[in-house]
PDB file of all heavy atoms in Angstrom:
ATOM      1  N   TRP U  12      -7.912  10.641 -12.899  1.00  0.00           N
ATOM      2  CA  TRP U  12      -8.253  10.484 -11.484  1.00  0.00           C
ATOM      3  C   TRP U  12      -7.459  11.425 -10.583  1.00  0.00           C
ATOM      4  O   TRP U  12      -7.701  11.500  -9.394  1.00  0.00           O
ATOM      5  CB  TRP U  12      -8.038   9.026 -11.041  1.00  0.00           C
ATOM      6  CG  TRP U  12      -9.124   8.147 -11.572  1.00  0.00           C
ATOM      7  CD1 TRP U  12     -10.353   7.937 -11.009  1.00  0.00           C
ATOM      8  CD2 TRP U  12      -9.086   7.365 -12.786  1.00  0.00           C
ATOM      9  NE1 TRP U  12     -11.074   7.084 -11.807  1.00  0.00           N
ATOM     10  CE2 TRP U  12     -10.327   6.706 -12.893  1.00  0.00           C
ATOM     11  CE3 TRP U  12      -8.130   7.166 -13.786  1.00  0.00           C
ATOM     12  CZ2 TRP U  12     -10.646   5.869 -13.957  1.00  0.00           C
ATOM     13  CZ3 TRP U  12      -8.430   6.333 -14.857  1.00  0.00           C
ATOM     14  CH2 TRP U  12      -9.688   5.687 -14.935  1.00  0.00           C
ATOM     15  N   PRO U  14      -6.611  14.804  -9.012  1.00  0.00           N
ATOM     16  CA  PRO U  14      -7.237  16.119  -8.901  1.00  0.00           C
ATOM     17  C   PRO U  14      -6.305  17.216  -9.388  1.00  0.00           C
ATOM     18  O   PRO U  14      -5.095  17.156  -9.173  1.00  0.00           O
ATOM     19  CB  PRO U  14      -7.532  16.261  -7.408  1.00  0.00           C
ATOM     20  CG  PRO U  14      -6.837  15.145  -6.718  1.00  0.00           C
ATOM     21  CD  PRO U  14      -6.423  14.139  -7.723  1.00  0.00           C
ATOM     22  N   ALA U  21      -5.530  16.011  -0.843  1.00  0.00           N
ATOM     23  CA  ALA U  21      -6.493  15.815  -1.939  1.00  0.00           C
ATOM     24  C   ALA U  21      -6.040  14.660  -2.833  1.00  0.00           C
ATOM     25  O   ALA U  21      -6.859  13.847  -3.289  1.00  0.00           O
ATOM     26  CB  ALA U  21      -6.624  17.100  -2.745  1.00  0.00           C
ATOM     27  N   LEU U  22      -4.744  14.584  -3.076  1.00  0.00           N
ATOM     28  CA  LEU U  22      -4.221  13.481  -3.895  1.00  0.00           C
ATOM     29  C   LEU U  22      -4.469  12.153  -3.192  1.00  0.00           C
ATOM     30  O   LEU U  22      -4.949  11.182  -3.795  1.00  0.00           O
ATOM     31  CB  LEU U  22      -2.720  13.662  -4.150  1.00  0.00           C
ATOM     32  CG  LEU U  22      -2.291  14.884  -4.966  1.00  0.00           C
ATOM     33  CD1 LEU U  22      -0.768  14.932  -5.073  1.00  0.00           C
ATOM     34  CD2 LEU U  22      -2.905  14.855  -6.362  1.00  0.00           C
ATOM     35  N   ARG U  23      -4.130  12.121  -1.912  1.00  0.00           N
ATOM     36  CA  ARG U  23      -4.277  10.874  -1.154  1.00  0.00           C
ATOM     37  C   ARG U  23      -5.741  10.434  -1.108  1.00  0.00           C
ATOM     38  O   ARG U  23      -6.045   9.250  -1.199  1.00  0.00           O
ATOM     39  CB  ARG U  23      -3.706  11.071   0.259  1.00  0.00           C
ATOM     40  CG  ARG U  23      -3.757   9.818   1.111  1.00  0.00           C
ATOM     41  CD  ARG U  23      -2.974   9.967   2.397  1.00  0.00           C
ATOM     42  NE  ARG U  23      -1.543  10.017   2.165  1.00  0.00           N
ATOM     43  CZ  ARG U  23      -0.717  10.932   2.649  1.00  0.00           C
ATOM     44  NH1 ARG U  23      -1.174  11.896   3.414  1.00  0.00           N
ATOM     45  NH2 ARG U  23       0.567  10.876   2.382  1.00  0.00           N
ATOM     46  N   ALA U  24      -6.637  11.396  -0.975  1.00  0.00           N
ATOM     47  CA  ALA U  24      -8.067  11.072  -0.891  1.00  0.00           C
ATOM     48  C   ALA U  24      -8.595  10.523  -2.220  1.00  0.00           C
ATOM     49  O   ALA U  24      -9.509   9.706  -2.240  1.00  0.00           O
ATOM     50  CB  ALA U  24      -8.853  12.312  -0.476  1.00  0.00           C
ATOM     51  N   ALA U  25      -8.004  10.965  -3.325  1.00  0.00           N
ATOM     52  CA  ALA U  25      -8.504  10.563  -4.647  1.00  0.00           C
ATOM     53  C   ALA U  25      -7.895   9.245  -5.129  1.00  0.00           C
ATOM     54  O   ALA U  25      -8.495   8.541  -5.959  1.00  0.00           O
ATOM     55  CB  ALA U  25      -8.202  11.670  -5.668  1.00  0.00           C
ATOM     56  N   ALA U  26      -6.731   8.915  -4.619  1.00  0.00           N
ATOM     57  CA  ALA U  26      -5.984   7.760  -5.155  1.00  0.00           C
ATOM     58  C   ALA U  26      -6.731   6.424  -5.079  1.00  0.00           C
ATOM     59  O   ALA U  26      -6.607   5.606  -5.996  1.00  0.00           O
ATOM     60  CB  ALA U  26      -4.621   7.666  -4.462  1.00  0.00           C
ATOM     61  N   PRO U  27      -7.519   6.160  -4.015  1.00  0.00           N
ATOM     62  CA  PRO U  27      -8.197   4.853  -3.963  1.00  0.00           C
ATOM     63  C   PRO U  27      -9.146   4.613  -5.139  1.00  0.00           C
ATOM     64  O   PRO U  27      -9.459   3.462  -5.451  1.00  0.00           O
ATOM     65  CB  PRO U  27      -8.974   4.909  -2.637  1.00  0.00           C
ATOM     66  CG  PRO U  27      -8.226   5.891  -1.800  1.00  0.00           C
ATOM     67  CD  PRO U  27      -7.722   6.929  -2.776  1.00  0.00           C
ATOM     68  N   ASP U  28      -9.607   5.670  -5.772  1.00  0.00           N
ATOM     69  CA  ASP U  28     -10.550   5.500  -6.885  1.00  0.00           C
ATOM     70  C   ASP U  28      -9.853   5.268  -8.223  1.00  0.00           C
ATOM     71  O   ASP U  28     -10.524   5.032  -9.228  1.00  0.00           O
ATOM     72  CB  ASP U  28     -11.422   6.764  -7.015  1.00  0.00           C
ATOM     73  CG  ASP U  28     -12.318   6.953  -5.802  1.00  0.00           C
ATOM     74  OD1 ASP U  28     -12.679   5.945  -5.177  1.00  0.00           O
ATOM     75  OD2 ASP U  28     -12.630   8.121  -5.468  1.00  0.00           O
ATOM     76  N   CYS U  29      -8.534   5.369  -8.247  1.00  0.00           N
ATOM     77  CA  CYS U  29      -7.818   5.298  -9.527  1.00  0.00           C
ATOM     78  C   CYS U  29      -8.038   3.956 -10.222  1.00  0.00           C
ATOM     79  O   CYS U  29      -7.917   2.894  -9.620  1.00  0.00           O
ATOM     80  CB  CYS U  29      -6.328   5.557  -9.324  1.00  0.00           C
ATOM     81  SG  CYS U  29      -5.415   5.613 -10.891  1.00  0.00           S
ATOM     82  N   ARG U  30      -8.325   4.038 -11.508  1.00  0.00           N
ATOM     83  CA  ARG U  30      -8.473   2.852 -12.364  1.00  0.00           C
ATOM     84  C   ARG U  30      -7.583   3.023 -13.606  1.00  0.00           C
ATOM     85  O   ARG U  30      -7.920   2.560 -14.690  1.00  0.00           O
ATOM     86  CB  ARG U  30      -9.943   2.683 -12.781  1.00  0.00           C
ATOM     87  CG  ARG U  30     -10.934   2.557 -11.606  1.00  0.00           C
ATOM     88  CD  ARG U  30     -10.751   1.245 -10.854  1.00  0.00           C
ATOM     89  NE  ARG U  30     -11.681   1.095  -9.732  1.00  0.00           N
ATOM     90  CZ  ARG U  30     -11.368   1.336  -8.465  1.00  0.00           C
ATOM     91  NH1 ARG U  30     -10.157   1.798  -8.128  1.00  0.00           N
ATOM     92  NH2 ARG U  30     -12.249   1.127  -7.512  1.00  0.00           N
ATOM     93  N   VAL U  41      -4.719   0.906  -2.241  1.00  0.00           N
ATOM     94  CA  VAL U  41      -3.687   1.776  -2.778  1.00  0.00           C
ATOM     95  C   VAL U  41      -2.727   2.116  -1.633  1.00  0.00           C
ATOM     96  O   VAL U  41      -3.128   2.208  -0.477  1.00  0.00           O
ATOM     97  CB  VAL U  41      -4.310   3.060  -3.396  1.00  0.00           C
ATOM     98  CG1 VAL U  41      -4.826   4.015  -2.331  1.00  0.00           C
ATOM     99  CG2 VAL U  41      -3.326   3.771  -4.320  1.00  0.00           C
ATOM    100  N   PHE U  43      -0.254   5.108  -0.803  1.00  0.00           N
ATOM    101  CA  PHE U  43       0.125   6.402  -1.370  1.00  0.00           C
ATOM    102  C   PHE U  43       1.496   6.838  -0.886  1.00  0.00           C
ATOM    103  O   PHE U  43       2.500   6.356  -1.397  1.00  0.00           O
ATOM    104  CB  PHE U  43      -0.975   7.443  -1.134  1.00  0.00           C
ATOM    105  CG  PHE U  43      -0.907   8.547  -2.151  1.00  0.00           C
ATOM    106  CD1 PHE U  43      -1.222   8.292  -3.465  1.00  0.00           C
ATOM    107  CD2 PHE U  43      -0.493   9.814  -1.802  1.00  0.00           C
ATOM    108  CE1 PHE U  43      -1.112   9.295  -4.440  1.00  0.00           C
ATOM    109  CE2 PHE U  43      -0.384  10.827  -2.764  1.00  0.00           C
ATOM    110  CZ  PHE U  43      -0.691  10.566  -4.068  1.00  0.00           C
ATOM    111  N   LYS U  99       1.507   2.767  -7.420  1.00  0.00           N
ATOM    112  CA  LYS U  99       0.827   2.828  -6.124  1.00  0.00           C
ATOM    113  C   LYS U  99       0.074   1.558  -5.730  1.00  0.00           C
ATOM    114  O   LYS U  99      -0.463   1.492  -4.623  1.00  0.00           O
ATOM    115  CB  LYS U  99      -0.168   4.001  -6.096  1.00  0.00           C
ATOM    116  CG  LYS U  99       0.381   5.348  -6.570  1.00  0.00           C
ATOM    117  CD  LYS U  99       1.518   5.858  -5.734  1.00  0.00           C
ATOM    118  CE  LYS U  99       1.759   7.352  -5.979  1.00  0.00           C
ATOM    119  NZ  LYS U  99       3.186   7.709  -5.997  1.00  0.00           N
ATOM    120  N   HIS U 100      -0.023   0.602  -6.619  1.00  0.00           N
ATOM    121  CA  HIS U 100      -0.646  -0.685  -6.253  1.00  0.00           C
ATOM    122  C   HIS U 100       0.364  -1.820  -6.413  1.00  0.00           C
ATOM    123  O   HIS U 100       1.205  -1.793  -7.321  1.00  0.00           O
ATOM    124  CB  HIS U 100      -1.879  -0.969  -7.131  1.00  0.00           C
ATOM    125  CG  HIS U 100      -3.126  -0.258  -6.697  1.00  0.00           C
ATOM    126  ND1 HIS U 100      -3.616   0.852  -7.355  1.00  0.00           N
ATOM    127  CD2 HIS U 100      -3.990  -0.504  -5.664  1.00  0.00           C
ATOM    128  CE1 HIS U 100      -4.733   1.262  -6.746  1.00  0.00           C
ATOM    129  NE2 HIS U 100      -4.976   0.457  -5.724  1.00  0.00           N
ATOM    130  N   TRP U 126       0.414  10.468 -10.917  1.00  0.00           N
ATOM    131  CA  TRP U 126       0.393  10.636  -9.454  1.00  0.00           C
ATOM    132  C   TRP U 126       1.722  11.167  -8.961  1.00  0.00           C
ATOM    133  O   TRP U 126       1.772  12.125  -8.171  1.00  0.00           O
ATOM    134  CB  TRP U 126       0.084   9.297  -8.760  1.00  0.00           C
ATOM    135  CG  TRP U 126      -1.329   8.843  -8.911  1.00  0.00           C
ATOM    136  CD1 TRP U 126      -1.772   7.750  -9.603  1.00  0.00           C
ATOM    137  CD2 TRP U 126      -2.504   9.460  -8.370  1.00  0.00           C
ATOM    138  NE1 TRP U 126      -3.137   7.663  -9.528  1.00  0.00           N
ATOM    139  CE2 TRP U 126      -3.614   8.697  -8.766  1.00  0.00           C
ATOM    140  CE3 TRP U 126      -2.710  10.598  -7.575  1.00  0.00           C
ATOM    141  CZ2 TRP U 126      -4.925   9.027  -8.411  1.00  0.00           C
ATOM    142  CZ3 TRP U 126      -4.017  10.924  -7.215  1.00  0.00           C
ATOM    143  CH2 TRP U 126      -5.103  10.145  -7.629  1.00  0.00           C
TER     144      TRP U 126
END
Side-chain angles (χ1 to χ4, degrees):
W12 285 276
L22 296 178
R23 182 170 290 130
D28 295 331
C29 185
R30 302 291 180 261
V41 73
F43 204 69
K99 311 298 197 219
H100 279 104
W126 288 113

